Amino acid sequence: MFDFSAAEDEVTSLCQQLIRIDTQNWGMNKANPERPAAELIESWFAEVGLQSTIVESAPGRASLVTRISGVDATAPALVVHGHTDVVPAAAEDWSVDPFAGVIKDGLLWGRGAVDMKDMDAMIIAAIRDMIRQGLQPRRDLIVAFFADEEAGGEYGARYVVRNHPEFFAGATEAISEVGGYSVDIRGQRVYLIQTAEKGLAWLNLIAHGSAGHGSQRNDDNPVTRLAAAITRIGEHEWPQDIPPATRQLLEGVSEITGIAFTSETIGELLTELGSVAKFVAPTLQNTSNPTFLEAGYKHNVIPGTATGYVDCRTLPGQHEDVMLTIKELAGPGIDIEVSEQGPALEADYQTPLVAQMNASLLAADPDAKVLPYTLSGGTDNKSLSELGIAGYGFAPLRLTGDLDFPAMFHGVDERVPVDALRFGTRVLGDFLMRA
């Protein structure tokens, strides 16, 4: 492997500094600006002679992009991207200050520690060390740190892709978050590479009816109409339809455990994944989860409208069918507006890029195994797909079995092992040189 020990030595500090920049994102352009984080990254790159470009989609909503030339100018470029915004954190719920970057019990705590300022820091540390050593990657690397990923990317990746496609000229593949981390299956460490992700549809259901006095009979009450629709949607049983990457993962778990892979044993196989089943189980079918409601303003006033919000996640090729089903479940008297949407993605597992992910992981952890999987959430790879760029999740972390890693995403007391950061930086640096 290439020597990235200097990057390992600084990655934790870089991550701490990023966490200490409060970039909470509430959505709909209500966010603490990402520009301070972009400017800090710009300064870190400038220290080693690498120039960056910062673009704003709105005041303070800044993304950064830079490009590093590879040895092979004829090879397609690789996009390496992260996001600098984070979901909100209620400090009163945490055992530490979520924006202090505290190191405790061998872990780095803070909002963004796993989603995804850890990967941001790993990328930055590896790139800085690469340049300091005078190393040149095999192919061009386009390094990007986007704003607004946690709200769908309208002010981040989507804006940059649509307004500055020239930044990504010649790129065919990309890597980002929520892949490359390890899970323990009966004592066998397995790294999961994200090769697919479900589609996204955030829907606003607006029920219409007749406003009136709360003491009167009202057979055209929008609150009642909305409540019934939301119940039907939330309780709908979507049929099982396993995407290829999830099937490959379960087949791998079957091989490790000896549990036959059948329709009857899927639950057993998921159980073998431990907490990671939280990511995998939702990929067995489409999902439609009501998330919040808005209606009225006073006990004795029936409002004229009521609104419910639904988070749909769709399997590849099934978006239109899901939207038709949602419309049927909602019923008459309800308008459906799309607040945010993004396509489901599937990338090939049998590629030289994934082969190099395997090689770099196994060089650092020879006894491990590597398997693909489908992510139930979404990433900025959706935006890059508009340019025909195939996206993967590869943020390598060697984790211990006692950490509920999926619960760290958007959870209270988010944290990542310092040793995992060092390991990931070493693997990522080697991968970026050879990819």
Side-chain angles (χ1 to χ4, degrees):
M1 294 186 73
F2 284 91
D3 180 8
F4 279 88
S5 54
E8 291 183 58
D9 289 342
E10 75 170 1
V11 67
T12 304
S13 173
L14 297 179
C15 191
Q16 283 180 294
Q17 293 176 68
L18 289 172
I19 288 171
R20 288 166 185 162
I21 299 175
D22 181 350
T23 51
Q24 293 179 89
N25 186 354
W26 291 267
M28 300 183 71
N29 202 24
K30 179 186 177 184
N32 293 333
E34 295 93 346
R35 185 164 192 111
E39 290 178 343
L40 180 60
I41 296 169
E42 180 184 42
S43 71
W44 284 336
F45 283 160
E47 284 179 3
V48 295
L50 181 61
Q51 299 305 304
S52 310
T53 299
I54 293 177
V55 296
E56 283 193 343
S57 54
R61 307 307 306 274
S63 298
L64 176 146
V65 182
T66 189
R67 189 168 187 137
I68 300 163
S69 296
V71 173
D72 184 357
T74 66
L78 174 68
V79 182
V80 185
H81 62 101
H83 63 84
T84 55
D85 65 319
V86 297
V87 296
E92 63 272 17
D93 296 334
W94 286 56
S95 62
V96 300
D97 181 343
F99 299 102
V102 173
I103 295 177
K104 184 175 71 169
D105 302 325
L107 298 102
L108 173 57
W109 300 57
R111 178 57 86 217
V114 301
D115 188 12
M116 66 168 294
K117 291 179 176 178
D118 59 337
M119 175 61 165
D120 294 343
M122 288 157 54
I123 296 169
I124 296 162
I127 294 299
R128 279 164 55 89
D129 198 4
M130 183 187 300
I131 294 172
R132 282 192 300 252
Q133 293 188 60
L135 300 175
Q136 190 175 14
R138 185 187 71 83
R139 57 169 161 167
D140 283 12
L141 301 178
I142 302 166
V143 182
F145 296 96
F146 296 119
D148 200 43
E149 190 275 344
E150 297 294 359
E154 179 180 357
Y155 295 91
R158 189 186 308 159
Y159 175 87
V160 178
V161 162
R162 293 180 179 178
N163 290 274
H164 296 281
E166 70 277 6
F167 289 165
F168 308 100
T172 57
E173 297 165 309
I175 65 163
S176 189
E177 59 181 330
V178 207
Y181 60 88
S182 72
V183 57
D184 185 273
I185 302 175
R186 298 196 180 185
Q188 172 65 63
R189 187 156 45 243
V190 180
Y191 292 92
L192 304 183
I193 294 174
Q194 191 254 96
T195 62
E197 61 183 60
K198 292 178 77 176
L200 165 72
W202 290 344
L203 306 178
N204 305 341
L205 275 64
I206 305 169
H208 300 277
S210 300
H213 199 289
S215 68
Q216 298 174 359
R217 179 181 175 84
N218 188 324
D219 295 326
D220 192 30
N221 188 326
V223 177
T224 304
R225 181 171 291 118
L226 176 67
I230 286 291
T231 299
R232 288 191 295 270
I233 291 169
E235 293 181 349
H236 181 68
E237 291 289 337
W238 296 93
Q240 188 175 96
D241 188 357
I242 306 175
T246 300
R247 182 174 295 277
Q248 287 177 276
L249 170 62
L250 295 178
E251 289 171 347
V253 175
S254 172
E255 182 177 338
I256 293 169
T257 63
I259 300 171
F261 178 25
T262 69
S263 58
E264 291 76 24
T265 62
I266 287 175
E268 291 180 63
L269 294 170
L270 289 173
T271 299
E272 296 289 338
L273 291 169
S275 65
V276 172
K278 297 173 185 176
F279 281 154
V280 178
T283 68
L284 301 177
Q285 65 276 309
N286 299 298
T287 58
S288 55
N289 286 312
T291 52
F292 66 108
L293 306 169
E294 288 182 332
Y297 57 91
K298 199 171 187 289
H299 271 83
N300 62 347
V301 178
I302 297 171
T305 61
T307 305
Y309 300 85
V310 178
D311 183 346
C312 291
R313 304 294 172 131
T314 58
L315 295 173
Q318 299 191 23
H319 176 83
E320 295 303 326
D321 289 341
V322 170
M323 293 302 101
L324 287 173
T325 300
I326 292 293
K327 184 176 181 180
E328 292 172 2
L329 292 169
I334 293 182
D335 294 334
I336 300 176
E337 297 178 349
V338 177
S339 173
E340 189 69 46
Q341 65 181 352
L345 304 178
E346 285 186 301
D348 192 356
Y349 185 65
Q350 302 298 329
T351 65
L353 183 77
V354 176
Q356 187 54 59
M357 294 178 193
N358 278 260
S360 293
L361 280 168
L362 296 179
D365 194 353
D367 296 326
K369 293 184 179 296
V370 184
L371 292 171
Y373 87 110
T374 305
L375 177 66
S376 55
T379 71
D380 279 331
N381 280 326
K382 293 188 186 306
S383 294
L384 290 167
S385 72
E386 294 184 15
L387 300 176
I389 297 171
Y392 297 85
F394 188 64
L397 295 171
R398 184 169 58 195
L399 302 170
T400 54
D402 58 347
L403 181 69
D404 185 353
F405 187 62
M408 297 297 100
F409 287 80
H410 302 188
V412 173
D413 285 342
E414 184 180 344
R415 56 199 183 274
V416 65
V418 170
D419 285 348
L421 280 177
R422 296 179 64 92
F423 172 86
T425 303
R426 180 164 70 254
V427 172
L428 187 65
D430 184 75
F431 167 79
L432 293 179
M433 283 297 301
R434 304 175 190 271

